[in-house]
Amino acid sequence: MRAIKRYFVGALLVFLAYSVGVSITYYAALPVPSALVGLLLLLFILFKFPSVEVDVSTFVTGPLKHMSLFFVPAVMGVSLFWDEISSNALAIGLAIILTTAISLLLTAQVAQRLLVKKDSLNRSKTAGASSEGAGNDQ
């Protein structure tokens, strides 16, 4: 019963973040994809309320297993526009390589900072717990 509750809470959070992202993008007339705004909102929620991480991960595990199905329409679109793609292949290739390199670099930097912060928090908690234990021995 608990797993079902976690699943529905996770689904509610994901779809709520997406819906709010769509609303923000629409009403603010932002030139940004609404799904990206929703993902950033979900990221903010997960940082602010880390306890819901388990709920969200319970829900998103299923769709992530079948992620390749989401790319079928894109692959079909490539076949429809092959003439335009082949005539701009160099520009498209450079754009893909540069944006991938930039996103990997930014992701690595953010992950490194988060892991260092998490490691320092764990060390301070461990040091605090060991100093409390040492004080109880006396």
Side-chain angles (χ1 to χ4, degrees):
M1 188 68 169
R2 177 173 272 165
I4 293 172
K5 179 186 170 227
R6 288 191 184 280
Y7 185 85
F8 282 112
V9 169
L12 178 70
L13 287 171
V14 169
F15 289 124
L16 183 68
Y18 174 73
S19 299
V20 171
V22 168
S23 298
I24 290 171
T25 305
Y26 178 76
Y27 290 114
L30 296 175
V32 178
S34 57
L36 180 62
V37 174
L39 279 173
L40 291 174
L41 180 63
L42 185 61
L43 181 67
F44 174 77
I45 291 169
L46 290 172
F47 275 129
K48 201 71 172 158
F49 306 102
S51 60
V52 299
E53 178 185 353
V54 176
D55 301 331
V56 172
S57 66
T58 300
F59 171 70
V60 300
T61 302
L64 286 177
K65 287 181 182 177
H66 306 289
M67 193 65 158
S68 61
L69 292 176
F70 295 118
F71 293 103
V72 170
V75 171
M76 294 307 295
V78 167
S79 66
L80 292 175
F81 297 101
W82 184 250
D83 292 334
E84 289 84 2
I85 291 171
S86 61
S87 66
N88 297 310
L90 181 62
I92 292 172
L94 285 173
I96 290 172
I97 291 169
L98 287 175
T99 56
T100 301
I102 291 169
S103 65
L104 284 173
L105 178 68
L106 289 174
T107 302
Q109 288 178 346
V110 169
Q112 185 177 15
R113 288 182 183 167
L114 289 175
L115 290 174
V116 166
K117 186 175 182 179
K118 184 177 180 180
D119 189 41
S120 66
L121 286 174
N122 287 340
R123 286 183 184 175
S124 65
K125 286 181 183 179
T126 305
S130 63
S131 66
E132 289 174 8
N136 292 336
D137 291 341
Q138 295 176 353

